[in-house]
Amino acid sequence: MSKHPADSAAPAADWWRGAVIYQVYPRSFADSNGDGMGDLAGVRARLPHLQDLGVDAVWLSPFYASPQADAGYDVADYRAIDPVFGTLQDAEAVIRDAHALGLRIIVDLVPNHSSDQHDWFRRALAEGPGSPLRGRYHFRPGKGEHGELPPNDWESVFGGPAWTRVPDGEWYLHLFAPEQPDFNWDHPAVHDEFRSILRFWLDLGVDGFRVDVAHGLVKAAGLPDIGRRDQVKLLGNDTMPFFDQDGVHEIYRGWRQILTEYAGERILVAEAWTPTVERTALYVRPDELHQAFNFQYLGTYWDAAELRAVIDSSLAAMRPVGAPATWVLSNHDVTRHATRFANPPGLGTQLRTPGDRALGLRRARAATLLMLALPGSAYLYQGEELGLPDVTDLPDEVRQDPSFHRAHGQDGFRDGCRVPIPWTKDGPSYGFGTGGSWLPQPEGWGELSVQAQTGVPGSTLELYREALRVRRAQPGLGAGDALQWLDAPEGVLAFRREGFVCTANTTGAAVRIPVPGRALLASGDMEEADGDHVVLPADTTVWWAV
Ligand code: NOJ
């Protein structure tokens, strides 16, 4: 059993700079008690899978006490585990076992909003207008003759107004669901509370935090109107008075200080939707957070020119601040990349159409090999190592995503990537648990299971395992920020890293190129080189040793 690097005398410096971090969505990963909902004991039992896969760290989406109005991103108690997921002892056991297996644990921190069932919010409601606890959230009188209109024109990210009126006539702000009231980060008690929450989990041994809505904590003074509708469409492209305000950075400088008091290089990762990679870079200045998700990369289609542009701009934006670039193709909020790439470009990241599944899988495998060859840290989302497609045909009545319901079924298709993953070929819920599963799994899910793919040459699972093995063995892959583009035919990306070349053919046709070196790994079937040339099949990435 390998030792957790943080436990050894010389902890791996900068372990996070090139780390491959695997996202576990606990409710859909593994269910230990047959209630149809994944849990921490399930995660613990399946940690060896993640060790075999060869990832460095595991990020767990929220498992805190929560009414689950937004799948746990509505936290009622930041220091307690929801009974559906287990107990604090289960969380400690996950951390302990993960460390024993050489895996680090990153937990989700949700500081922009709490649940409406959080003690502070319940008391604030009960104590009425003007009470001190109301000051920890954004309560305001309404506009209009009788205060019947919301205090401003902000819209919720999940659709509808960002304000809800309470029986005594005041309104409160919620950028997400009404069950998720936004904290007022101008209030010192909110700062104190989150510093204490950070310490609570650091003391328990976690290796870091993924900071939910890291760009949202501070709102523009006076909560000014925006003056136009359809605000959700602007998110990530425009500066809004509730997102990416400069004041957030002060908070992160304080948090970074706390983390440096703890041994073992604990990290903070920003979920920050900003208009540009340059704005994202501000979150990862040396005295702030360590990494930020690269949503510009996630939003890029399988297209050589677009990929090259976003790779270059990402590396260039991070260089001046000295943070590693990060790369991500899937998570619990977007349609899985095997399905995005099965569909034509320009449809966004939440789709309802299955597209051409074989094409999507071929491109997804190629996209993954490309991502894992880039310098920096890469994020994987549970089930992508199985090549899972999104489940696009979930009946509306089983959907649980609050944004689906608030957007009247026009939006919010996040349940499709949250369907519990298959571990075995057969059995109830294909090894997810001994009972059912909280979202129905599609027919044939077992053929994609870990059991069905293990030891099968060319399976997506074995491709991921081999890629991560090579990434570890290949000195420097993942490290640094250097990448040298090589000449390549249109639609093909070719770049050199130290001792290594990656070629990715994003076109639908085979392309002949000069042999770059000794083939290490390919995302699709390759023919032998013929003399000095080799044929790169359509939608295929190949790694070469040079
Ligand atoms: C981002 C999370 O990833 C998403 O799942 C959640 O709905 C929102 N933040 C609100 O917390």
Side-chain angles (χ1 to χ4, degrees):
M1 220 179 250
S2 58
K3 220 169 168 234
H4 182 242
D7 296 335
S8 66
D14 288 350
W15 66 269
W16 45 277
R17 287 188 171 271
V20 176
I21 302 178
Y22 181 101
Q23 180 188 359
V24 165
Y25 195 62
R27 52 169 48 217
S28 305
F29 190 65
D31 170 20
S32 73
N33 60 4
D35 67 355
M37 185 68 82
D39 48 41
L40 288 174
V43 174
R44 185 181 176 199
R46 294 294 187 183
L47 286 173
H49 167 70
L50 304 180
Q51 187 195 32
D52 283 353
L53 188 59
V55 300
D56 301 294
V58 180
W59 150 35
L60 293 161
S61 277
F63 45 71
Y64 312 109
S66 161
Q68 307 290 320
D70 184 20
Y73 283 95
D74 48 319
V75 181
D77 183 344
Y78 290 84
R79 297 177 186 79
I81 310 299
D82 198 274
V84 99
F85 295 123
T87 63
L88 204 53
Q89 286 69 36
D90 292 326
E92 286 181 291
V94 167
I95 297 167
R96 197 175 50 240
D97 283 15
H99 286 175
L101 294 172
L103 298 166
R104 313 218 182 214
I105 293 286
I106 292 170
V107 294
D108 226 299
L109 184 75
V110 189
N112 180 67
H113 45 264
S114 70
S115 158
D116 62 349
Q117 297 308 307
H118 189 284
D119 183 52
W120 284 6
F121 192 76
R122 282 161 46 145
R123 281 164 50 205
L125 272 193
E127 289 172 16
S131 77
L133 277 170
R134 289 218 173 176
R136 298 180 188 185
Y137 294 92
H138 295 281
F139 278 89
R140 293 283 185 286
K143 285 186 176 162
E145 206 179 329
H146 307 289
E148 71 282 8
L149 299 172
N152 72 17
D153 66 356
W154 296 1
E155 291 169 4
S156 150
V157 175
F158 289 164
W163 296 89
T164 289
R165 198 172 194 194
V166 301
D168 57 45
E170 280 206 325
W171 297 74
Y172 68 89
L173 176 70
H174 52 86
L175 293 181
F176 295 89
E179 296 87 351
Q180 295 167 294
D182 280 51
F183 282 117
N184 173 15
W185 275 87
D186 287 332
H187 198 297
V190 175
H191 288 255
D192 290 348
E193 175 65 356
F194 274 90
R195 283 194 289 255
S196 156
I197 293 165
L198 284 174
R199 288 186 189 283
F200 178 87
W201 288 99
L202 289 166
D203 289 340
L204 231 64
V206 303
D207 300 283
F209 302 89
R210 173 262 188 195
V211 184
D212 189 61
V213 198
H215 54 312
L217 277 48
V218 171
K219 277 73 182 175
L223 311 183
D225 277 339
I226 292 169
R228 57 170 289 182
R229 312 301 288 162
D230 261 358
Q231 295 163 17
V232 175
K233 296 212 177 77
L234 302 175
L235 294 184
N237 301 309
D238 223 337
T239 304
M240 309 295 257
F242 47 76
F243 277 163
D244 197 28
Q245 299 293 305
D246 290 336
V248 294
H249 298 290
E250 189 65 42
I251 299 170
Y252 300 134
R253 283 192 276 273
W255 290 7
R256 179 69 176 248
Q257 288 280 329
I258 294 176
L259 264 71
T260 54
E261 290 170 25
Y262 287 80
E265 295 207 32
R266 323 278 177 113
I267 66 164
L268 292 156
V269 184
E271 187 224 13
W273 294 86
T274 72
T276 61
V277 278
E278 289 75 21
R279 288 293 302 177
T280 303
L282 299 178
Y283 289 77
V284 290
R285 286 176 284 192
D287 58 350
E288 293 196 33
L289 309 180
H290 297 73
Q291 293 185 349
F293 293 121
N294 188 342
F295 293 123
Q296 277 82 10
Y297 188 73
L298 185 149
T300 304
Y301 196 68
W302 180 238
D303 174 278
E306 288 176 31
L307 285 163
R308 180 169 170 163
V310 72
I311 292 168
D312 279 341
S313 63
S314 304
L315 291 169
M318 295 301 143
R319 234 169 245 135
V321 291
T326 67
W327 315 102
V328 58
L329 291 164
S330 282
N331 65 31
H332 65 295
D333 289 331
V334 296
T335 298
R336 288 181 177 279
H337 63 283
T339 298
R340 291 205 311 279
F341 297 153
N343 279 283
L347 300 179
T349 52
Q350 284 192 31
L351 278 61
R352 264 199 293 200
T353 43
D356 176 340
R357 260 184 76 169
L359 175 66
L361 180 59
R362 196 162 71 235
R363 289 175 168 175
R365 291 164 53 111
T368 297
L369 274 204
L370 170 64
M371 171 173 83
L372 291 175
L374 295 172
S377 185
Y379 282 80
L380 308 179
Y381 175 54
Q382 67 178 38
E384 69 168 80
E385 77 276 25
L386 306 175
L388 295 188
D390 232 61
V391 181
T392 48
D393 59 355
L394 286 172
D396 289 355
E397 59 275 15
V398 305
R399 290 187 183 273
Q400 298 205 11
D401 182 352
S403 58
F404 176 78
H405 297 286
R406 277 183 70 83
H408 308 293
Q410 298 304 303
D411 208 347
F413 302 109
R414 299 182 301 171
D415 289 305
C417 64
R418 298 175 176 181
V419 172
I421 65 172
W423 293 91
T424 54
K425 289 186 203 165
D426 317 285
S429 60
Y430 304 106
F432 164 64
T434 51
S437 94
W438 68 278
L439 281 173
Q441 297 161 302
E443 290 274 307
W445 214 221
E447 287 153 32
L448 298 171
S449 64
V450 173
Q451 183 185 42
Q453 297 196 38
T454 294
V456 176
S459 72
T460 303
L461 177 56
E462 293 302 343
L463 176 71
Y464 270 70
R465 285 180 173 152
E466 185 60 9
L468 292 174
R469 194 191 60 73
V470 174
R471 185 176 158 111
R472 281 179 174 226
Q474 188 76 21
L477 204 59
D481 62 8
L483 174 154
Q484 183 199 343
W485 293 108
L486 304 173
D487 287 341
E490 202 180 325
V492 176
L493 291 174
F495 59 85
R496 180 190 293 272
R497 318 269 328 273
E498 206 188 315
F500 175 91
V501 164
C502 175
T503 50
N505 178 7
T506 69
T507 73
V511 176
R512 221 169 113 82
I513 57 163
V515 179
R518 177 174 57 85
L520 289 170
L521 187 60
S523 67
D525 290 336
M526 278 256 301
E527 282 169 28
E528 288 290 308
D530 111 48
D532 295 343
H533 283 73
V534 66
V535 173
L536 276 184
D539 295 308
T540 300
T541 296
V542 185
W543 288 2
W544 311 87
V546 294

